[in-house]
Amino acid sequence: SQTIHQWPATLVQPVGSPLSLECTVEGTSNPNLYWYRQAAGRGLQLLFYSVGIGQISSEVPQNLSASRPQDRQFILSSKKLLLSDSGFYLCAWSSAYRPRGEQYFGPGTRLTVT
Amino acid sequence: ELKVEQNPLFLSMQEGKNYTIYCNYSTTSDRLYWYRQDPGKSLESLFVLLSNGAVKQEGRLMASLDTKARLSTLHITAAVHDLSATYFCAGGDTGTASKLTFGTGTRLQVTL
């Protein structure tokens, strides 16, 4: 069966510090991968998605970036965090072989920028 | 660009009552999804609706899709406290990568 992992689970970082969040998927190959952010009490905002290694599409211009160095690894990064980067970051995957299938979400990383 | 709207945003209901959450979307979408989120947790897939007239049921929840009206509903029958959560609908964008556009969510609180 497929499993999606995210780490760390929680993170407290000062403004201006760098960020690296990691997401890995097990039990499937060539997944579509997504990064979302959820501000407190709000809906989900799609940040990035990827259909393959090295292929990243950005949905919202901001100080975040994403990379996909391996087939089942997705990384979200920032060189300098802003207060507005605080939120709940969710990674998700979907099957490239089931284009109408649902997305499956990881447990999330709660980021607080102080 | 696909836009998805849910209403109500907040719903407080008594145990045993019935209610419906509505999800409208702005442009053609060939699929609609419902997710549940418990406080502080991730999203859990509830239903996948892939065709006009599709109806799915799981326990006290039933979801339906009307693509002509661009409307999906999530009906709650005889609510129980365990159903308290935030419910999101999401429409599928056409094109690659199976992108989804999420609604703002409906926070459901079931009281005794």
Side-chain angles (χ1 to χ4, degrees):
Chain A
S1 62
Q2 298 86 12
T3 310
I4 179 167
H5 303 279
Q6 286 186 246
W7 63 88
T10 60
L11 193 58
V12 180
Q13 292 283 93
V15 168
S17 64
L19 173 74
S20 181
L21 304 181
E22 190 164 342
C23 170
T24 58
V25 181
E26 296 177 354
T28 188
S29 60
N30 194 32
N32 297 321
L33 295 172
Y34 314 85
W35 277 112
Y36 290 89
R37 177 170 60 200
Q38 185 178 33
R42 306 293 294 275
L44 275 72
Q45 179 185 36
L46 179 63
L47 302 175
F48 302 94
Y49 66 91
S50 171
V51 299
I53 296 173
Q55 300 179 61
I56 308 295
S57 296
S58 174
E59 289 291 296
V60 182
Q62 55 204 312
N63 69 321
L64 299 172
S65 62
S67 62
R68 184 170 177 174
Q70 300 180 42
D71 181 44
R72 290 170 290 174
Q73 184 184 31
F74 206 22
I75 297 171
L76 183 70
S77 304
S78 174
K79 293 182 179 178
K80 290 185 177 182
L81 283 168
L82 307 173
L83 283 174
S84 57
D85 291 324
S86 292
F88 191 40
Y89 287 80
L90 289 159
C91 180
W93 74 274
S94 69
S95 172
Y97 308 106
R98 293 182 60 230
R100 302 175 78 204
E102 65 260 59
Q103 293 180 13
Y104 302 92
F105 285 80
T109 295
R110 192 163 305 279
L111 171 66
T112 304
V113 182
T114 60
Chain B
E1 180 187 349
L2 178 64
K3 294 185 178 179
V4 179
E5 292 186 356
Q6 284 180 242
N7 69 83
L9 297 182
F10 178 74
L11 177 57
S12 180
M13 55 190 299
Q14 290 182 314
E15 277 199 337
K17 300 292 186 181
N18 304 333
Y19 210 84
T20 300
I21 299 171
Y22 297 88
C23 176
N24 292 90
Y25 54 96
S26 61
T27 63
T28 301
S29 176
D30 62 352
R31 56 199 192 280
L32 197 291
Y33 307 83
W34 286 94
Y35 287 85
R36 169 180 171 147
Q37 185 179 35
D38 291 307
K41 303 294 186 181
S42 185
L43 273 73
E44 172 191 357
S45 176
L46 292 176
F47 300 109
V48 179
L49 304 168
L50 300 179
S51 60
N52 186 42
V55 177
K56 296 279 185 73
Q57 183 163 5
E58 181 71 35
R60 301 174 187 273
L61 300 178
M62 183 174 71
S64 65
L65 178 62
D66 182 343
T67 58
K68 294 179 181 179
R70 295 178 185 167
L71 171 68
S72 180
T73 61
L74 180 66
H75 186 73
I76 303 151
T77 301
V80 293
H81 181 70
D82 285 352
L83 290 179
S84 297
T86 299
Y87 293 86
F88 290 95
C89 65
D93 286 339
T94 57
T96 61
S98 304
K99 291 194 300 176
L100 299 180
T101 298
F102 280 81
T104 50
T106 296
R107 188 158 76 91
L108 173 64
Q109 184 175 63
V110 181
T111 58
L112 297 173

